[in-house]
Amino acid sequence: MSAAPESASSAPQPPTGIDELLERVRAGYERIEAQEAYEAAQAGDALLVDIRYAALRERDGLIPGAHVVERNELEWRLDPQGSHRLPEATSHALRIIVICNEGYASSLAAQSLHQLGLHRATDLIGGFQAWRGAGLPVE
């Protein structure tokens, strides 16, 4: 028995490039500027989550009060239903601001958090470099 020919609608789609993927992901939520992220964290309205790898944190410093969560642990540490979650990750209504070095990987991370039901997750436009460039606290 031979397989039925593929219809035009089931033909494979061309691969999506990273620039197009980022554009699609970012269209799904509102990103945040450094000053607004700082103010939200200071007011207790947002959890800052730094996903930069250790060498960048050692080189450039840390944002005071930000939770350092390696990217490969992010979903487990922020899922309110997870057994390995941060103590602060108690609700799907939590506002999370993901910070990477320049604001690219954090966009993909925020989308992943949206898939877990954390619909207030966002990321910092320009990442840590924008934070530092705005003169905000770094330790």
Short mmCIF file of all heavy atoms in Angstrom, two decimals, residues 8 22-23 26 30 33 38 46-47 57 59 61 63 65 68 71 81 89 92 96 98 103 106 117 131 134 136-137:
data_model
loop_
_atom_site.label_atom_id
_atom_site.label_comp_id
_atom_site.label_asym_id
_atom_site.label_seq_id
_atom_site.Cartn_x
_atom_site.Cartn_y
_atom_site.Cartn_z
N ALA A 8 -0.76 20.30 -0.52
CA ALA A 8 -0.01 21.55 -0.41
C ALA A 8 -0.07 22.11 1.00
O ALA A 8 0.87 22.74 1.47
CB ALA A 8 -0.55 22.58 -1.41
N LEU A 22 12.22 36.00 17.20
CA LEU A 22 12.21 37.04 18.24
C LEU A 22 11.09 38.05 18.01
O LEU A 22 10.41 38.46 18.95
CB LEU A 22 13.56 37.77 18.29
CG LEU A 22 14.66 37.08 19.08
CD1 LEU A 22 15.98 37.79 18.87
CD2 LEU A 22 14.32 36.98 20.54
N GLU A 23 10.90 38.44 16.77
CA GLU A 23 9.83 39.39 16.45
C GLU A 23 8.47 38.82 16.84
O GLU A 23 7.64 39.51 17.45
CB GLU A 23 9.88 39.71 14.96
CG GLU A 23 8.94 40.81 14.54
CD GLU A 23 9.08 41.15 13.06
OE1 GLU A 23 10.23 41.26 12.57
OE2 GLU A 23 8.03 41.28 12.40
N ARG A 26 8.21 38.57 20.78
CA ARG A 26 8.07 39.88 21.42
C ARG A 26 6.73 40.52 21.13
O ARG A 26 6.27 41.37 21.91
CB ARG A 26 9.21 40.79 20.97
CG ARG A 26 10.55 40.35 21.55
CD ARG A 26 11.69 41.09 20.94
NE ARG A 26 12.96 40.78 21.60
CZ ARG A 26 14.13 41.15 21.13
NH1 ARG A 26 14.21 41.86 20.01
NH2 ARG A 26 15.23 40.83 21.78
N GLU A 30 4.38 42.84 26.35
CA GLU A 30 5.01 44.15 26.38
C GLU A 30 6.34 44.07 27.13
O GLU A 30 6.38 43.66 28.29
CB GLU A 30 4.09 45.15 27.09
CG GLU A 30 4.58 46.57 27.01
CD GLU A 30 3.57 47.56 27.57
OE1 GLU A 30 2.36 47.29 27.48
OE2 GLU A 30 4.02 48.60 28.08
N GLU A 33 11.48 48.76 29.86
CA GLU A 33 12.74 49.52 29.87
C GLU A 33 13.37 49.43 31.26
O GLU A 33 12.70 49.14 32.26
CB GLU A 33 12.46 50.99 29.54
CG GLU A 33 11.90 51.23 28.15
CD GLU A 33 12.96 51.22 27.06
OE1 GLU A 33 14.17 51.18 27.37
OE2 GLU A 33 12.57 51.25 25.88
N TYR A 38 13.40 48.88 37.25
CA TYR A 38 13.96 49.29 38.54
C TYR A 38 12.84 49.75 39.48
O TYR A 38 12.77 49.33 40.64
CB TYR A 38 15.00 50.39 38.34
CG TYR A 38 15.51 50.99 39.61
CD1 TYR A 38 16.41 50.29 40.41
CD2 TYR A 38 15.10 52.25 40.02
CE1 TYR A 38 16.87 50.83 41.60
CE2 TYR A 38 15.57 52.81 41.20
CZ TYR A 38 16.46 52.10 41.99
OH TYR A 38 16.92 52.64 43.16
N ALA A 46 7.53 43.55 41.14
CA ALA A 46 8.11 42.64 40.15
C ALA A 46 9.31 41.92 40.74
O ALA A 46 10.01 42.44 41.60
CB ALA A 46 8.54 43.42 38.90
N LEU A 47 9.52 40.73 40.23
CA LEU A 47 10.67 39.92 40.59
C LEU A 47 11.67 39.99 39.45
O LEU A 47 11.34 39.64 38.31
CB LEU A 47 10.21 38.47 40.80
CG LEU A 47 11.22 37.46 41.28
CD1 LEU A 47 11.59 37.75 42.74
CD2 LEU A 47 10.64 36.06 41.16
N ARG A 57 28.27 37.57 34.91
CA ARG A 57 27.97 38.15 36.23
C ARG A 57 29.25 38.53 36.95
O ARG A 57 29.33 39.58 37.58
CB ARG A 57 27.14 37.17 37.06
CG ARG A 57 25.76 36.90 36.49
CD ARG A 57 24.87 36.13 37.45
NE ARG A 57 25.47 34.95 38.04
CZ ARG A 57 25.37 33.71 37.57
NH1 ARG A 57 24.67 33.49 36.46
NH2 ARG A 57 25.92 32.69 38.20
N ARG A 59 32.12 39.30 35.51
CA ARG A 59 32.75 40.40 34.79
C ARG A 59 32.05 41.73 35.05
O ARG A 59 32.69 42.76 35.29
CB ARG A 59 32.75 40.10 33.28
CG ARG A 59 33.41 41.19 32.43
CD ARG A 59 33.20 40.95 30.97
NE ARG A 59 31.85 41.41 30.59
CZ ARG A 59 31.30 41.19 29.41
NH1 ARG A 59 31.95 40.49 28.49
NH2 ARG A 59 30.10 41.64 29.14
N GLY A 61 29.09 42.34 37.17
CA GLY A 61 28.41 42.58 38.43
C GLY A 61 26.97 42.10 38.43
O GLY A 61 26.50 41.50 37.45
N ILE A 63 22.75 42.87 39.69
CA ILE A 63 21.71 43.85 40.02
C ILE A 63 21.26 43.54 41.44
O ILE A 63 20.82 42.42 41.72
CB ILE A 63 20.53 43.75 39.03
CG1 ILE A 63 20.99 44.15 37.63
CG2 ILE A 63 19.37 44.61 39.52
CD1 ILE A 63 19.95 43.89 36.55
N GLY A 65 19.30 42.69 44.53
CA GLY A 65 17.95 42.17 44.71
C GLY A 65 17.47 41.24 43.62
O GLY A 65 16.43 40.58 43.77
N VAL A 68 19.37 35.29 40.80
CA VAL A 68 20.18 34.66 39.77
C VAL A 68 19.63 33.25 39.56
O VAL A 68 19.60 32.44 40.49
CB VAL A 68 21.67 34.61 40.17
CG1 VAL A 68 22.47 33.81 39.15
CG2 VAL A 68 22.21 36.02 40.31
N ARG A 71 19.73 29.86 33.09
CA ARG A 71 18.69 29.69 32.06
C ARG A 71 18.15 28.26 32.03
O ARG A 71 16.97 28.04 31.85
CB ARG A 71 19.24 30.10 30.67
CG ARG A 71 18.27 29.85 29.53
CD ARG A 71 16.97 30.63 29.71
NE ARG A 71 15.96 30.27 28.75
CZ ARG A 71 14.96 29.42 29.00
NH1 ARG A 71 14.85 28.82 30.17
NH2 ARG A 71 14.06 29.16 28.07
N GLN A 81 3.83 25.76 40.56
CA GLN A 81 3.40 24.40 40.89
C GLN A 81 4.59 23.46 41.07
O GLN A 81 4.41 22.30 41.45
CB GLN A 81 2.49 23.85 39.80
CG GLN A 81 1.24 24.67 39.61
CD GLN A 81 0.43 24.22 38.40
OE1 GLN A 81 0.93 23.58 37.49
NE2 GLN A 81 -0.85 24.57 38.42
N ALA A 89 8.11 32.41 44.06
CA ALA A 89 7.30 31.98 42.91
C ALA A 89 6.05 31.26 43.40
O ALA A 89 5.92 30.04 43.27
CB ALA A 89 8.12 31.09 41.98
N HIS A 92 0.82 32.34 39.60
CA HIS A 92 0.93 32.59 38.16
C HIS A 92 0.72 34.07 37.84
O HIS A 92 1.01 34.51 36.73
CB HIS A 92 -0.08 31.73 37.38
CG HIS A 92 0.34 30.30 37.29
ND1 HIS A 92 -0.02 29.37 38.21
CD2 HIS A 92 1.14 29.68 36.39
CE1 HIS A 92 0.52 28.21 37.89
NE2 HIS A 92 1.23 28.36 36.78
N ILE A 96 7.24 38.90 36.50
CA ILE A 96 8.64 38.50 36.43
C ILE A 96 9.30 39.28 35.30
O ILE A 96 8.76 39.35 34.19
CB ILE A 96 8.76 36.99 36.15
CG1 ILE A 96 8.11 36.20 37.28
CG2 ILE A 96 10.22 36.59 35.95
CD1 ILE A 96 7.88 34.74 36.95
N VAL A 98 12.68 39.14 33.22
CA VAL A 98 13.85 38.32 32.92
C VAL A 98 14.93 39.22 32.32
O VAL A 98 14.65 40.04 31.44
CB VAL A 98 13.50 37.17 31.95
CG1 VAL A 98 14.71 36.29 31.71
CG2 VAL A 98 12.33 36.35 32.48
N GLY A 103 19.32 41.42 26.11
CA GLY A 103 17.89 41.43 25.82
C GLY A 103 17.44 40.53 24.70
O GLY A 103 16.37 40.77 24.13
N SER A 106 16.61 36.63 26.89
CA SER A 106 15.54 36.89 27.86
C SER A 106 14.17 36.91 27.20
O SER A 106 13.17 36.55 27.82
CB SER A 106 15.79 38.19 28.60
OG SER A 106 15.91 39.28 27.70
N GLY A 117 2.09 29.56 32.00
CA GLY A 117 0.97 30.28 32.58
C GLY A 117 1.37 31.54 33.34
O GLY A 117 0.53 32.17 33.97
N TRP A 131 20.54 48.22 31.65
CA TRP A 131 20.42 48.56 33.07
C TRP A 131 21.62 49.39 33.52
O TRP A 131 21.50 50.46 34.09
CB TRP A 131 20.30 47.27 33.89
CG TRP A 131 20.18 47.45 35.37
CD1 TRP A 131 21.20 47.69 36.25
CD2 TRP A 131 18.98 47.38 36.14
NE1 TRP A 131 20.71 47.78 37.52
CE2 TRP A 131 19.36 47.59 37.50
CE3 TRP A 131 17.65 47.16 35.84
CZ2 TRP A 131 18.43 47.57 38.53
CZ3 TRP A 131 16.72 47.15 36.88
CH2 TRP A 131 17.12 47.36 38.19
N ALA A 134 21.90 52.80 31.98
CA ALA A 134 20.96 53.79 32.54
C ALA A 134 21.44 54.30 33.91
O ALA A 134 20.78 55.13 34.52
CB ALA A 134 19.57 53.16 32.67
N LEU A 136 21.72 52.55 36.65
CA LEU A 136 21.00 51.91 37.77
C LEU A 136 21.99 51.09 38.60
O LEU A 136 23.07 50.74 38.12
CB LEU A 136 19.86 51.07 37.20
CG LEU A 136 18.78 51.90 36.50
CD1 LEU A 136 17.80 51.02 35.76
CD2 LEU A 136 18.05 52.79 37.51
N PRO A 137 21.63 50.78 39.84
CA PRO A 137 22.57 50.12 40.76
C PRO A 137 23.08 48.77 40.26
O PRO A 137 22.34 47.95 39.75
CB PRO A 137 21.74 49.92 42.02
CG PRO A 137 20.59 50.85 41.93
CD PRO A 137 20.33 51.04 40.47
#
